[in-house]
Amino acid sequence: MVADVSYTGPDFDPPRQRRTRRAPLTVAFAALVPGALLGWLVYEAAGGGAGRTASPAPAPRSATVSGITPAASPGDDAKASGSPSARPGGAGPLRGKVVVVDPGHNPGNFHHTAEINRQVDIGTNRKECDTTGTSTDDGYTEARFTLDVAHRLRTLLEEQGATVRLTRDDDSPAWGPCVDERARIGNTARADAAISIHADGSAEGDRGFHVILPGSVHAGAADTRAIVGPSHDLGVRVAGTFLRETGEPPSNYVGDGTGFVTRTDLGGLNLSTVPKVFIECGNMRDSKDAALLTSGAWRQRAAQGISEGIVSFLRGS
């Protein structure tokens, strides 16, 4: 769930209207999508998925999605190692590159409603500093999910030589940071790429992932015009590799089956001066998606998919 949407907890997540049919994809847009995602989208555009809930593509490698055992135990979470701030990268193809990873929300936000409800400037208007995020019906929170995926992603990117900074970590303040500060962290680091990790909180039966791209904004403190193009490139690459590694389909309830949504109301994107996208990895309130999101094995694949998209973007390959 994106940080700029105001929710006070799982019981208050408003259902979204499901879409039962996909709009045809334009040739120009589809031509930009990597092979793995393109194959899915061509199938959907041809009517193969019309009128039904999307089901996941076959899982990669030897594991199958149905074979994953859901687990939300603390021992299944990836553990942070070393400093939570930027750590210098080692030898590898991404040496000299800086990536900022933004794990959405904070577990302490539930106890700091006054602080996170404070209005901040996002360029186009003012919105809440942050929100609580959502959770599965069993109580596995989005904030815990996003930090776990961020830890796994950091490890993978550091193995490629990148310097990685998280916007929050285990020893972060008790709440936040605010959405404007999350953007500022990426800007100050002069990140070559930034990604905000989330999971959605829609209705049962709403499934799949989607990548949120920044729209063109030039208002107040926001000016995304220089990053719209590279952010689109980053998002397309991440979507393709995420689908390939996880088998999670593009969302069947937003984005018309494309796996992409462009928004101009998110402070984390509006205020960014570096290429940045959000990824909603799945819907925590759908039982099938929740079984994946609570699996450490699947979260590792999610991190792998995101990592491969970022590596592809930074290497221009």
Side-chain angles (χ1 to χ4, degrees):
M1 181 175 298
V2 293
D4 299 73
V5 178
S6 297
Y7 295 122
T8 54
D11 293 337
F12 295 90
D13 291 346
R16 299 180 183 176
Q17 183 177 1
R18 287 190 60 193
R19 304 184 182 194
T20 57
R21 299 189 66 84
R22 277 69 163 176
L25 300 176
T26 65
V27 174
F29 181 77
L32 296 174
V33 183
L37 186 56
L38 178 59
W40 177 274
L41 297 181
V42 168
Y43 172 72
E44 291 297 286
R52 62 164 175 78
T53 300
S55 58
R61 301 193 177 102
S62 59
T64 61
V65 172
S66 61
I68 295 175
T69 300
S73 63
D76 197 36
D77 288 344
K79 301 302 181 182
S81 59
S83 168
S85 60
R87 302 193 305 213
L94 298 188
R95 182 171 183 174
K97 299 293 187 181
V98 177
V99 179
V100 169
V101 179
D102 177 31
H105 310 290
N106 186 315
N109 284 359
F110 286 97
H111 307 294
H112 293 271
T113 54
E115 291 89 344
I116 67 170
N117 285 331
R118 177 173 62 85
Q119 299 283 298
V120 298
D121 182 12
I122 66 165
T124 52
N125 60 301
R126 298 182 68 83
K127 296 187 74 171
E128 293 86 352
C129 155
D130 200 8
T131 60
T132 60
T134 187
S135 73
T136 66
D137 290 341
D138 292 334
Y140 182 69
T141 65
E142 181 183 1
R144 180 172 164 186
F145 167 82
T146 62
L147 185 59
D148 179 64
V149 174
H151 285 161
R152 297 170 188 270
L153 177 58
R154 178 174 62 185
T155 297
L156 292 168
L157 291 172
E158 287 179 341
E159 290 173 351
Q160 295 290 316
T163 295
V164 181
R165 179 170 184 182
L166 305 189
T167 59
R168 71 173 178 90
D169 209 337
D170 290 319
D171 62 351
S172 293
W175 54 273
C178 295
V179 294
D180 56 341
E181 177 61 19
R182 290 172 185 264
R184 191 156 43 245
I185 290 170
N187 299 344
T188 301
R190 297 183 179 180
D192 296 285
I195 189 163
S196 188
I197 300 170
H198 289 268
D200 215 349
S202 190
E204 175 72 31
D206 290 350
R207 290 206 58 202
F209 79 94
H210 63 277
V211 172
I212 304 175
L213 309 170
S216 183
V217 173
H218 185 211
D223 187 353
T224 63
R225 291 174 296 177
I227 69 162
V228 167
S231 296
H232 182 274
D233 184 23
L234 171 63
V236 167
R237 292 172 188 267
V238 167
T241 53
F242 186 85
L243 171 62
R244 184 182 69 210
E245 290 297 322
T246 66
E248 179 76 348
S251 171
N252 66 355
Y253 60 99
V254 293
D256 292 324
T258 66
F260 299 104
V261 176
T262 298
R263 293 180 61 172
T264 59
D265 63 325
L266 301 179
L269 295 180
N270 286 0
L271 300 175
S272 181
T273 59
V274 301
K276 184 175 182 179
V277 298
F278 282 45
I279 182 167
E280 296 276 4
C281 296
N283 175 20
M284 302 196 92
R285 309 311 302 280
D286 174 77
S287 56
K288 292 180 179 178
D289 271 4
L292 303 179
L293 297 166
T294 54
S295 162
W298 189 89
R299 293 196 299 273
Q300 185 64 33
R301 299 217 297 267
Q304 184 68 42
I306 296 170
S307 172
E308 290 179 5
I310 293 173
V311 171
S312 173
F313 171 75
L314 293 178
R315 299 189 69 184
S317 58

